[in-house]
Amino acid sequence: MKPRIGVYICHCGTNVAATVDVEAVTEFAATLPGVVIARHYTYMCSEPGQALIKEDARTLGLNRVVVASCSPRMHEPTFRAASHEGGVNPYQVEMANIREQCSWVHPDRHEATDKAKALVYAAVMKAAHLEPLEEREAPVTPGALVIGGGVAGLVAALDIADAGFPVHLVERSDRLGGRVAELNRTFPDLEPVAEWLPALVDQVRRHPNITVYLNSRVTDITGFVGNFEARVGPIEAGLAPAQIQVGAIVIATGYNVFDPRLKPEFGYGIYPQVVTTLELEQRLSSGDLTVNGKTPKEVVFIKCVGSRDQQLGRPYCSRVCCMISAKQAQLVRQALPDARVTVFYMDVRTFGKRGEEFYDEARRAGVRYRRGNVSEIYRRGERVVVRVEDTLLARTVEHEADLVVLAVGMEPRPEAADIAALLKLPRSADGFLLEAHPKLRPVDTAVDGVFLAGCCQGPKDIPDTVAQAKAAAASALIPLMRGVVPMEAATAVVDPELCAGCGMCVEICPYSAPALDPLWGVSRVNAVLCKGCGACAVTCPSKAIRLQHFTPDQILAQVEALVGW
Amino acid sequence: MSDNGFEPKIVAFLCNWCTYTGADLAGTSRIQYPPNVRIIRLMCTGSVDPTYVLKALLDGADGVLVGGCHPGDCHYQSGNYKARRRIIALKEILKQAGLEEDRVWLRWISASEGQRFADTVSQMTQYLKEKGPNPMKKEWAV
């Protein structure tokens, strides 16, 4: 079909128009081959802006649309949808990035206008070569894989199962409940974990839709959103691995606590007086706080052990240690009313609902907070001495103690790196798994259909973990409940007339999308597997395979326009 | 001959996920750079056919920039490694044909490296200004 192209130049308020002469660009665009109409407007993405495209498309019978505005990464979906409503195939829409890559970076009006013309010219030339493509859908395997049986995994599994989908819950250890099962009471209400966690575990164990795999790990994952295939292998050899098919995956692999032996100056592992907050939880549960058979009179908490520490490569705040310390200090005061309890801190960060109040309660209960950096811990008789620089008095003090509790920070579990490698998930600089967008996609990952819950994404407390688990479950339910997932339309295709069946595309493709047809001896691309990278098209010696929407004639037309203008 | 009024034309083939987004970031951060670069968006540097680079040079582009994800960061696992091999081979061929291989630059620029993108364009523009116009343009335009 002969191209009938509509070109729309956006002012973006003054973002483009202040630097680029939009009228001159519009006049220029109107002279380009195939262009039926060229307009400029204040905000093309606004309702009236989109209406312009729809209206023109219908009345002028446009079959291509070019929008010169912001980056296609911003509004391509908007203009594809608007053009589609006007009867133009969404894949016959091309954008010229004259804001991010022109008006915002080139202050000279003449230069910016000249470049905008070149970009519009190239977009028009590409548009003329664009072919209509069909957006198709692939069916979704109803079911989810949840990796990790801690509180995040339990909650996510329950929500997905309650929505009516089978859930495979894989846990490395021999029990469910994760780290929370090691806790005594939780902040800020000092509620015993035993009052709610066993019930949650029980609900999961008895749920007809949930299959629990204990002592197991995920050893392989292939596929894509809607159609993942995972192998779950028992950690002990000799048992057969299970092969499961799911439509979505929730990762909830949790955290490890910092090993304070990496700070040898604190004497952890040498002095029985020095314990971690996690170990104190167990002692509080058992009610035995004695050290060497004696009841402690002086108890010291040290915060930020393995957190906010550049030298250890852990610059981040672990977010829960301030509240854990305030909780444990209160519980120690209750258990040992005669003991003096001192918390050494860098900062007190008791944010969140009831956080600050809880810190006040600790101080009212007689817990002493002293701002100071601890430099070392050493033995003196039956006690240990905490050597600390009081950062308010600017003085070094020695503080004798019978029990020292190190508020150890959180760190990524090494197994999370294995999962990340299996799924090719990016991790942030701190080693935790990276969300797709820090604000708008906090439980999504770079891989469609894979979601994050709990501390595998970063340190957080139980309410935040549960909130994230429920968000991850809800997100995982989107493809499961829709039953279909959209497939990449811009995939590679083979011209069987040109294909010599050499198999180079089969070799180069990381997704095994092309395969040689045994009957015809030519390559065929499985559109479901193709991600549209285009590596095969370059490698094909007879140019029989090409990536739709980025075909050589389209790209060469762009080159010609950009060099020619 | 650093400022002889010659303004080189640079065609850039940038991958959608890293360098194109890095160029967008330079924009949102309002980092200024010379307008000599004109960008073509591709999904992956692994889809940059050496013939595209040749076509740009033969048409008269003074430089070609290929920008992709850092090693290990490719959205498609290994497209940038494929690009690296192809560009090395292409430069070798250009050299043997007596053409100027230093007009072709391959750079890894991530989505968060807006400044690096702007710096790369500035450096390349300056380099090509000093080098002068692409001699192929005249010969092939006959």
Side-chain angles (χ1 to χ4, degrees), chain A residues 71-73 76 97 100-101 104-107 111 115 424 508 511 533 543 550 555 560 562-563 565, chain B residues 9 16 20-21 24 27 30-33 35 37 39 41-42 47 49 55 59 76-77 82 86:
Chain A
S71 170
R73 296 186 57 90
E76 192 171 57
N97 186 339
E100 281 86 344
Q101 297 179 3
W104 275 352
V105 286
H106 309 315
E111 287 176 350
K115 178 165 170 181
K424 301 187 178 61
I508 202 164
Y511 308 103
C533 73
K543 298 291 163 222
F550 295 92
I555 292 161
E560 225 168 277
L562 291 182
V563 181
W565 170 248
Chain B
K9 258 182 209 171
N16 177 59
Y20 190 90
T21 311
D24 276 356
R30 310 296 200 279
I31 303 168
Q32 293 172 13
Y33 57 84
V37 69
I39 294 168
R41 179 168 76 125
L42 299 169
S47 69
D49 197 310
K55 163 83 174 165
D59 276 3
Y76 304 102
Q77 301 183 17
K82 290 162 188 155
R86 288 178 186 138

Side-chain angles (χ1 to χ4, degrees), chain A residues 10-15 41-50 79:
Chain A
C10 183
H11 302 194
C12 193
T14 55
N15 280 299
Y41 187 68
T42 332
Y43 285 105
M44 280 313 300
C45 61
S46 67
E47 277 295 325
Q50 294 184 46
F79 296 121

Side-chain angles (χ1 to χ4, degrees), chain A residues 102-127:
Chain A
C102 189
S103 71
W104 275 352
V105 286
H106 309 315
D108 182 279
R109 190 171 173 83
H110 175 74
E111 287 176 350
T113 303
D114 194 57
K115 178 165 170 181
K117 286 182 184 172
L119 296 176
V120 168
Y121 184 20
V124 168
M125 295 303 281
K126 177 166 182 184

Side-chain angles (χ1 to χ4, degrees), chain A residues 63-64 89-93 126-134 493 546-551 553-554:
Chain A
N63 53 22
R64 312 278 199 285
N89 184 286
Y91 287 86
Q92 292 182 300
V93 175
K126 177 166 182 184
H129 287 85
L130 286 175
E131 299 156 0
L133 298 180
E134 283 295 319
V493 288
R546 64 199 182 102
L547 176 62
Q548 300 179 101
H549 209 60
F550 295 92
T551 62
D553 57 338
Q554 291 164 5

